Amino acid sequence: MDMLWSGWGDPAAATPLPDTVVGLLHDLLGVKPRAAAPVTLDRIAVPTTPLDTATHAALLAAVAGHPEHVRTDAESRIRHTRGKSTPDLLRIRDGEVDDLPAAVVLPAGHDEVLAVLRACAAHGLAAVPFGGGTSVVGGLAPARHGAFIALDLRRMDGLLAVDPVSRTATLQAGLRAPQAEALLAGHGFTLGHFPQSYEWATIGGFAATRSSGQASAGYGRFDDMVLGLTLATPEGTVETGRAPRSAAGPDLRQLLLGSEGAFGVITSVTVRVRPVPRARRYDGWRFPTFRQGADALRRLAQDGPRPTVLRLSDETETLVGLAQPDAIGSGAARQNAGCLAVVGFEGTEEDTTHRRETATTVLRAAGGEPLGEEPGRRWAHGRYSAPYLRDALLDAGAFAETLETAAFWSRLPELYAAVRDALTTTLTEAGTPPLVMCHVSHVYENGASLYFTVVSAQGDDPLAHWTRAKHAANDAILAAGGTITHHHGVGTDHRDWYVREAGDLAVDALRAVKRRLDPAAVLNPGVLLPAD
C-alpha cells in the first residue's frame, strides 16, 4: 500500500480534530479554516516526462527491460515528489510539483542499482534514493536544475541472512520497518528500532539518516546497530563490516551512515539484533518542572539503571496532552499537570522487574511522582499517531511542524530556552503567535536531544513565516552549542547550518569523498552538501 500522497500514512487511520480542539485553536491562536480545499490528485497539472528516448532506454535496460519498473505516469511521479514535512505537504496540497521526478525507477537488487546509477551518470540524470518517502528535511528534493529520477527501493525488501550465534541479520534497504520486525520475529529476534516514522520508513532510510528510535535508551540508535553495509555508487561497490569492531583505519561505516544518498545508495545492512523481549512495562511519572525531570533522566542515563524508553515532556506539552496523543481534548492530560515522563523497560521478566524497581527509587529521590502504568500505556498506544495529528491540524487551518537538536547535559537548559525564544519571537512578529512544546526524546550518558513541536495559525503566507522561524531556530541552535540535527538528518533544510557546524575543511574533505564516488555529481545533489 502506498502512503497518502498529500499527507501521512494510511488514509483510513486519519481522524479529524475534535470540535473542542478546533475551538481552542481558534480562541488561543486565531486559527481559521483554510480559504480553499486542497487540490485533488487528478487536478494536478503534470508535465510530460523530460526523459529522452535514449535515457529512457538506458534506464529500462538497467532494470532488466521491464516497463513497469520505469514509471513515468503522473500519479507515480506525484507520489514521489518531495517528502512529508509541513512545507512539503502545504506545497503538494496547493498542486505545486516543481520538484517532480522525471521517472520512478524500481530496481530489484544491488546489481540493478549499480546499473541505474551508471545510466544516470552517462546521461547526466540525477538520482534520488527513495525508501518510505518520510523525509522531513528536504532530503528528497535535490538542488539541481534538470531532470532526476526517484530510485524507489521497495522491491529490495528481503531478509538476506540471520546469524543466531553472532546475533546479526542482513536486511535489504527497501524493507519497511514493520516487515523487518515480522521477519526477524520469525527467528526470535527484534531490531528494537521504533521511530515515529516506523510504520512507513525503511531500513535503508534509517541507515542513510542516522535514525534514532523511541527505544534508543535501551537498544541504541540505528547507527549503533549497523555492523556492516553495502553501498552502490556510479563508480562501483563499497562494502564494509568484516567484524563488529576493527582498528583497520577509520571506520568507513561511520562515513557512509548519515550520508543521505549523496555518496551512494545503501542497498543492504548487517545489523545487531536482540531476542524478542518477554516483558514490556511503560510507566508514567510526574515532575514539577522540566529541569527537575531532565535532572532525573540524567541520573538514570549516567548511573543507571538505564530504561529502554526514557522521554520527558515539558509543561506545555504535558498540559496540551501531546505526550499522550490520544488524550488530546479529553481532559486526561490536564489531570497530570507538571511534566510527564514515560519510563519503559523491556527484556526478560527478571531483568525488567529489577531495573524497574531500582529506577523507581532513583526517580522518587529526584522528586518524581509515580502515575502508574496508564500514562505509559496511552503513550505506547499513540506513539505513531503524531504525524496523523499534524495532518488534522493542517486540515483545520493550523500550521504544525517539528524540529529537533541535541547537546551535552550542561548546555541543555540554555539550548531549550534559546530555541523556544527564537520560534516564539519570530512567529509572533509574523502575526502568528505559536504554541511551542518540547520533549526530551533520546538520552545518553553525556547529553540528550530536544524535540520541539510548533503550532500556530497559518497566516497569510505560512511557508514564509515558517522559513523565517526555522532559520532563526537553526541560528539559535548553533549559538547555544547544539547540533543542527539529532535524528531527522541534514537534507537541504539543514545543509547550510551543517556546513557551519562542520567547518569548511571538514566539508571539503566530504566533497572529496563525493567526487571520488560520484564524479558526475548525480547522487542526490544539494542534499547534505552544497551542490558544486
Side-chain angles (χ1 to χ4, degrees):
M1 179 177 61
D2 288 321
M3 193 189 297
L4 178 64
W5 69 274
S6 59
W8 181 264
D10 180 1
T15 55
L17 293 177
D19 291 341
T20 53
V21 175
V22 174
L24 194 63
L25 289 169
H26 178 269
D27 295 341
L28 292 181
L29 301 177
V31 172
K32 301 176 182 178
R34 285 176 55 94
V39 299
T40 57
L41 183 63
D42 60 320
R43 298 296 301 273
I44 296 178
V46 176
T48 303
T49 177
L51 293 184
D52 58 39
T53 302
T55 304
H56 187 275
L59 293 173
L60 197 59
V63 290
H66 294 291
E68 67 271 24
H69 300 151
V70 179
R71 302 178 182 175
T72 58
D73 63 283
E75 181 172 340
S76 294
R77 293 164 66 199
I78 290 171
R79 289 185 178 278
H80 290 77
T81 298
R82 296 185 292 270
K84 296 297 181 182
S85 70
T86 295
D88 289 341
L89 296 189
L90 288 175
R91 291 174 65 195
I92 200 72
R93 288 176 174 213
D94 284 342
E96 293 184 22
V97 289
D98 51 331
D99 296 319
L100 192 75
V104 179
V105 182
L106 296 90
H110 178 80
D111 289 343
E112 289 194 1
V113 173
L114 283 175
V116 171
L117 295 181
R118 287 168 177 156
C120 288
H123 292 271
L125 186 66
V128 177
F130 193 100
T134 62
S135 172
V136 292
V137 293
L140 302 176
R144 172 183 173 121
H145 297 293
F148 71 95
I149 63 163
L151 188 62
D152 191 319
L153 304 180
R154 72 178 67 187
R155 296 175 64 211
M156 299 166 57
D157 62 353
L159 170 60
L160 300 181
V162 175
D163 179 348
V165 176
S166 304
R167 289 188 176 176
T168 68
T170 302
L171 309 168
Q172 286 186 300
L175 187 61
R176 275 176 41 190
Q179 285 69 45
E181 281 296 317
L183 290 170
L184 290 171
H187 296 269
F189 293 112
T190 179
L191 193 55
H193 190 69
F194 305 103
Q196 198 169 80
S197 61
Y198 169 78
E199 296 170 306
W200 296 91
T202 61
I203 296 298
F206 292 154
T209 60
R210 292 189 181 272
S211 173
S212 194
Q214 295 169 340
S216 65
Y219 290 100
R221 293 163 53 97
F222 196 79
D223 45 352
D224 298 327
M225 302 174 188
V226 175
L227 303 174
L229 61 82
T230 301
L231 185 82
T233 82
E235 294 294 288
T237 299
V238 178
E239 292 189 82
T240 70
R242 299 175 68 91
R245 291 292 185 271
S246 171
D251 190 345
L252 292 179
R253 287 172 295 192
Q254 295 304 320
L255 175 66
L256 302 176
L257 290 166
S259 58
E260 300 187 32
F263 296 163
V265 179
I266 296 170
T267 57
S268 66
V269 296
T270 297
V271 291
R272 176 200 73 210
V273 293
R274 291 181 176 167
V276 173
R278 296 186 177 276
R280 290 185 174 92
R281 301 285 187 275
Y282 301 127
D283 297 318
W285 285 80
R286 178 192 174 275
F287 289 91
T289 68
F290 193 48
R291 179 167 290 210
Q292 284 180 270
D295 285 343
L297 267 60
R298 179 173 58 83
R299 293 188 195 182
L300 290 178
Q302 291 180 337
D303 302 322
R306 179 72 68 89
T308 308
V309 172
L310 189 57
R311 51 198 294 121
L312 171 74
S313 294
D314 71 358
E315 292 88 345
T316 306
E317 186 170 287
T318 300
L319 184 64
V320 171
L322 197 62
Q324 303 169 87
D326 61 351
I328 291 175
S330 69
R334 290 186 289 278
Q335 296 173 12
N336 300 321
C339 294
L340 173 66
V342 174
V343 184
F345 298 92
E346 298 181 5
T348 65
E349 287 284 356
E350 180 181 9
D351 176 65
T352 296
T353 299
H354 172 70
R355 287 190 294 140
R356 188 183 184 207
E357 290 176 350
T358 308
T360 294
T361 301
V362 174
L363 293 169
R364 284 186 185 275
E369 174 191 346
L371 302 176
E373 293 189 52
E374 178 59 21
R377 280 196 295 263
R378 293 189 78 107
W379 170 81
H381 180 264
R383 65 194 300 184
Y384 306 126
S385 62
Y388 291 103
L389 174 62
R390 185 269 308 267
D391 287 1
L393 287 165
L394 293 181
D395 292 340
F399 182 94
E401 186 57 298
T402 63
L403 60 88
E404 40 76 46
T405 180
F408 295 111
W409 286 111
S410 59
R411 291 181 177 268
L412 216 61
E414 177 189 352
L415 179 63
Y416 171 73
V419 176
R420 279 182 56 91
D421 181 65
L423 292 168
T424 302
T425 299
T426 310
L427 285 169
T428 300
E429 289 175 350
T432 53
L435 186 67
V436 180
M437 299 163 277
C438 182
H439 63 263
V440 174
S441 56
H442 306 276
V443 300
Y444 307 93
E445 182 178 353
N446 309 109
S449 69
L450 294 174
Y451 190 100
F452 292 87
T453 300
V454 184
V455 180
S456 71
Q458 291 189 11
D460 57 347
D461 191 344
L463 293 179
H465 293 179
W466 175 246
T467 298
R468 287 193 292 271
K470 172 75 169 174
H471 289 184
N474 289 350
D475 289 340
I477 285 170
L478 294 189
T483 181
I484 197 59
T485 176
H486 172 264
H487 58 269
H488 281 172
V490 174
T492 55
D493 293 357
H494 295 146
R495 181 193 59 220
D496 296 345
W497 287 266
Y498 170 63
V499 169
R500 288 164 54 186
E501 179 178 330
D504 291 340
L505 183 59
V507 169
D508 284 345
L510 293 179
R511 285 184 182 277
V513 172
K514 182 172 176 63
R515 282 194 295 269
R516 178 62 185 93
L517 298 177
D518 179 28
V522 299
L523 287 165
N524 225 3
V527 169
L528 182 67
L529 301 172
D532 289 330

